[in-house]
């Protein structure tokens, strides 16, 4: 209901649901789409345009954008005019408060409902409302990745993979075989399920099991893994992209 077009100029223009208004981005590098429910955002390194009211015009350069499932909580890492220091800026009209000073220099970011975490030179810095359930670890050493959902979160550092929040409801506690240093090289989170890429190149999943859940297909030399925050996961190996779980119409 909200068509978008990539123009020869490099701009993207999107009509709203009534087809009466166009949104455009300046030509500045690749365009990244974010499509969630009936909401959408498109951004590149110079600007961001969304179907909800989001103003990141104070950022001269945008490095990455993170959103929650409802597109209510939206944050970006970028730099202001005349500055080379990366900072986290969040949408004003939402429950998530502005990022703390400790996130200056952030290189990655994840947002859940009312929560956000960023990896910066100070380690993993989180703000917002704490998850119910297991407490977040007090510190991380050389963090590699952090990812949040609406109810729980996980992070990977030199000590291994650790998760916190509501883990018991859907059996999301990290299996003991995955908790040691070097055992996991990447991970992805679904709404009630998680998957990890082991150092052996094998993908292992755990958590809730429903009719939508499948075990990962046989893959060779997996290099990256992604989750949809629902029941679908994808991974890249030497033969291409492989997906499992979720709606049966999801590309395999």
């Amino acid at each position: 209901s909200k068509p978008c077009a990539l123009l020869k100029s490099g701009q993207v223009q999107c009509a709203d649901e009534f087809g009466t208004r166009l949104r455009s981005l300046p030509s500045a590098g690749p365009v990244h789409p974010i499509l969630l429910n009936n909401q959408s955002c498109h951004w590149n390194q110079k600007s961001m345009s969304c179907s909800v009211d989001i103003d990141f015009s104070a950022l001269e350069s945008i490095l990455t954008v993170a959103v929650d499932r409802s597109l209510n909580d939206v944050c970006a890492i970028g730099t202001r005019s005349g500055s080379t220091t990366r900072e986290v800026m969040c949408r004003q009209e939402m429950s998530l408060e502005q990022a703390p000073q400790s996130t200056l220099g952030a290189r990655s970011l994840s947002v859940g409902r009312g929560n956000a975490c960023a990896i910066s030179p100070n380690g993993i810095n989180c703000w917002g409302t704490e998850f119910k359930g297991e407490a977040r670890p007090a510190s991380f050493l050389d963090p590699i990745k952090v990812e949040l959902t609406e109810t729980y979160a996980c992070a990977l550092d030199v000590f291994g993979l650790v998760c916190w929040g509501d883990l018991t409801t859907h059996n999301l506690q990290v299996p003991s075989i995955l908790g040691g240093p070097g055992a996991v090289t990447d991970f992805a989170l679904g709404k009630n399920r998680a998957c990890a890429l082991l150092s052996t190149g094998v993908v292992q999943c755990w958590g809730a099991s429903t009719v939508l859940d499948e075990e990962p297909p046989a893959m060779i030399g997996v290099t990256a893994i992604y989750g949809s925050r629902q029941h679908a996961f994808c991974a890249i190996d030497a033969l291409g992209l492989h997906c499992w779980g979720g709606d049966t119409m999801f590309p395999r």
Side-chain angles (χ1 to χ4, degrees), residues 3-46:
C4 294
L6 175 62
L7 308 182
K8 290 183 178 180
S9 64
Q11 290 185 323
V12 167
Q13 288 192 342
C14 300
D16 64 17
E17 58 185 331
F18 302 106
T20 58
R21 182 172 62 92
L22 291 178
R23 305 193 310 275
S24 63
L25 298 177
S27 179
V31 175
H32 306 272
I34 301 172
L35 307 173
L36 292 168
N37 298 325
N38 293 322
Q39 307 291 347
S40 64
C41 284
H42 295 81
W43 65 276
N44 61 16
Q45 64 187 29
K46 285 295 184 181

Side-chain angles (χ1 to χ4, degrees), residues 170-201:
H170 301 290
N171 300 315
L172 288 164
Q173 297 90 343
V174 179
S176 58
I177 192 174
L178 305 182
V184 173
T185 61
D186 196 6
F187 68 91
L189 305 184
K191 183 178 181 180
N192 302 321
R193 195 164 175 81
C195 294
L197 171 58
L198 281 60
S199 57
T200 58

Side-chain angles (χ1 to χ4, degrees), residues 19 21 37 41 73 84-85 90 146 148 151 162 188 206 208 213 249:
R21 182 172 62 92
N37 298 325
C41 284
D73 291 341
T84 59
T85 301
C90 296
V146 62
L148 283 66
T151 57
V162 61
W206 67 97
D213 295 316
M249 297 300 292

Side-chain angles (χ1 to χ4, degrees), residues 38-112:
N38 293 322
Q39 307 291 347
S40 64
C41 284
H42 295 81
W43 65 276
N44 61 16
Q45 64 187 29
K46 285 295 184 181
S47 184
M48 183 172 183
S49 180
C50 297
S51 55
V52 294
D53 184 20
I54 297 174
D55 181 13
F56 286 153
S57 58
L59 296 178
E60 182 182 53
S61 177
I62 298 176
L63 303 177
T64 189
V65 174
V67 304
D68 74 340
R69 282 188 59 227
S70 63
L71 206 62
N72 287 326
D73 291 341
V74 184
C75 297
I77 298 176
T79 58
R80 296 177 184 265
S81 178
S83 173
T84 59
T85 301
R86 297 187 301 273
E87 63 178 275
V88 177
M89 180 176 293
C90 296
R91 180 187 178 201
Q92 297 282 343
E93 302 84 3
M94 61 183 187
S95 59
L96 185 62
E97 61 195 48
Q98 288 300 306
Q101 285 290 108
S102 57
T103 60
L104 288 176
R107 57 181 172 85
S108 65
L109 175 69
S110 183
V111 175

